[in-house]
Amino acid sequence: MTRDETKEILMTIQATYPNFKPEDKTITINTWFTLLKDYDRKQIGVALRDFITHDASGFAPSIGQLTTRVEEIFGKDNEMNELEAWEVVLKAIQNSGSNSQEEFYKLPTLIQKAVVSPRQLREWALDEQWEKHSPFYQNGFMRQYRTEKGKFENRHILDCKNQIESKNQTLLEDKNNAQRSWSDNASPMPEDFMDKLKQRFASNLM
């Protein structure tokens, strides 16, 4: 999602729930954008419509409630293997002869990327020689899905690595700041301190 798309989501929420009045809209938009930027705009929109339609509390949804709805509606596609993902595509193809747009945007994000476009679903749905061509379609889809899943997993690993490095850097900075704080607050040692200490030690021995 882009920042403007995030703003549209928040405007929809505010229009539906008059009590939703953030004190600082800029901070609210930035916070929602930061947490939702990796989600698909259409999927968040579907989740919001579903929430509004079934909500009886009268309270605006939180970020977590919307992302949970996305997972409930579209599933955690990164956990699917290739055959499971193809089964999802087959179900979408059944209704894509005249409704490919809606079926495409119901698909989980990784499957969307592997299918590429609603037009592809429609072409598959209208193929009069489906039985002959479907093995080729399946193989092509599975290769692309495997590629997209690999990209996703690599991004996830990189994100985790960056988070660990960022956390380690923060801990190092905190440690250095603490050391500087102790150093700055410490009183300087008197120049004759060691001489006085030696004299006292010597007198105790006498």
Side-chain angles (χ1 to χ4, degrees), residues 1 6 31 35 54 56 58 72 85 94 107 121 137 142 146 157:
M1 285 179 60
T6 304
T31 300
L35 297 175
H54 298 92
E72 290 174 349
Q94 294 175 4
L107 294 172
L121 283 181
Y137 298 152
M142 289 172 65
R146 186 162 53 245
I157 292 172

Side-chain angles (χ1 to χ4, degrees), residues 59-90:
F59 293 100
S62 66
I63 295 173
Q65 286 174 313
L66 288 184
T67 56
T68 297
R69 287 289 173 106
V70 168
E71 292 178 358
E72 290 174 349
I73 295 171
F74 298 99
K76 298 180 179 179
D77 53 322
N78 58 299
E79 297 178 356
M80 294 185 192
N81 61 38
E82 296 156 22
L83 286 174
E84 290 172 336
W86 179 244
E87 288 296 324
V88 173
V89 173
L90 290 177

